[in-house]
Amino acid sequence: MVTQRSSRVRLEWGPIGADRIVEPDCLAVVVDVLSFTTALTVAVQVGAEVYPYAWDRQDLGTYAAARDAHHAVGRYEAQRSDSLTSVSLSPRSLAVSSGLLPSPNGSTISFRLRDSGATVVGVSLRNRAAVAAWLDAALEDDPARVLALVAAGERWDDGSLRPAVEDLWGCGALLAGLRDRGADVLREASPEAHVALAAYDAVADDLEAGLVACDSGQELVRAGFRDDVVDAAQLDVSAVVPVLSGERFVDARRPRGE
């Protein structure tokens, strides 16, 4: 069942929400500000190819090894490790050529959408203007194409979805980027998408303060990852457009064959 069917710009939460708004040939944008799509943006910017994968799969190491990819561990596991080269969702750990970045939210959703027939794009605050420009051109080329924003959210202890305000802001930031470009598609946005835009406008003047103060940000700050939150709050510092090509994310701006 497709929800928000009458809207060309849709927004829903988590894996099940993705199933409800994503359809073949649409542009599916995954937003996981803290931290999958921020880590994805940083990794692709340094030239890495990123393989998303479901967090709860038991064959993570085997899957990564078969693709000659570094298997990222959890941020807290990397913190406990004695290794200075542990790859994790901490953006500053991602100087790798190819990496498997599993996460319970953004990565799992991206992996879930791999065979949906949609074009899957990863956006963070860091690359939202670049992605907005790329999406604007794609939407202009096909006036009937749907833009489906998937706010990843977080998880409660029982595994259920916790809507996370930073992902609402991330969706709104992207829509603000389209608005700044005068994109006509916003006239066909759902009420859910308009709420995200209004939420972003409310914090746009001080994104860092908002991210640090929100629940997800505070969790990372208390664990010693304040720098990761600050990195995630940097707006429009990256020009990459991570698009899922087969099993991996690559920069859409990269010429074919590179």
Side-chain angles (χ1 to χ4, degrees), residues 49-60:
E49 295 181 344
V50 174
Y51 292 83
Y53 208 55
W55 181 259
D56 56 357
R57 295 284 290 263
Q58 300 301 310
D59 60 342
L60 293 172

Side-chain angles (χ1 to χ4, degrees), residues 10-217:
R10 307 165 182 170
L11 186 151
E12 262 300 349
W13 288 90
I16 303 303
D19 291 345
R20 296 294 184 267
I21 62 170
V22 171
E23 56 189 56
D25 298 323
C26 82
L27 295 162
V29 179
V30 179
V31 182
D32 186 356
V33 172
L34 295 173
S35 295
F36 173 72
T37 52
T38 295
L40 171 66
T41 300
V42 172
V44 172
Q45 185 172 344
V46 299
E49 295 181 344
V50 174
Y51 292 83
Y53 208 55
W55 181 259
D56 56 357
R57 295 284 290 263
Q58 300 301 310
D59 60 342
L60 293 172
T62 302
Y63 187 88
R67 290 152 181 82
D68 196 24
H70 293 267
H71 173 204
V73 299
R75 183 189 269 108
Y76 301 112
E77 183 180 344
Q79 186 183 53
R80 293 190 298 267
S81 172
D82 292 332
S83 172
L84 298 177
T85 59
S86 293
V87 176
S88 74
L89 286 180
S90 180
R92 300 188 182 197
S93 74
L94 292 170
V96 297
S97 60
S98 180
L100 177 72
L101 295 183
S103 82
N105 304 303
S107 187
T108 295
I109 293 166
S110 299
F111 181 75
R112 187 185 186 105
L113 293 176
R114 193 177 67 179
D115 299 321
S116 66
T119 298
V120 182
V121 187
V123 69
S124 65
L125 295 172
R126 297 175 66 90
N127 69 336
R128 68 97 196 210
V131 174
W134 189 86
L135 291 172
D136 189 27
L139 291 165
E140 282 190 2
D141 287 343
D142 185 351
R145 204 169 192 187
V146 166
L147 176 61
L149 306 182
V150 183
E154 294 290 344
R155 297 284 161 186
W156 293 113
D157 291 342
D158 65 358
S160 61
L161 174 73
R162 174 175 72 81
V165 70
E166 69 272 10
D167 295 337
L168 189 68
W169 293 336
C171 291
L174 178 64
L175 294 174
L178 288 169
R179 180 182 61 192
D180 292 345
R181 299 181 62 81
D184 289 338
V185 70
L186 291 183
R187 298 178 183 178
E188 302 176 71
S190 69
E192 289 83 355
H194 281 296
V195 166
L197 183 57
Y200 170 74
D201 285 342
V203 297
D205 289 340
D206 199 343
L207 281 171
E208 183 177 320
L211 278 188
V212 169
C214 74
D215 193 47
S216 301

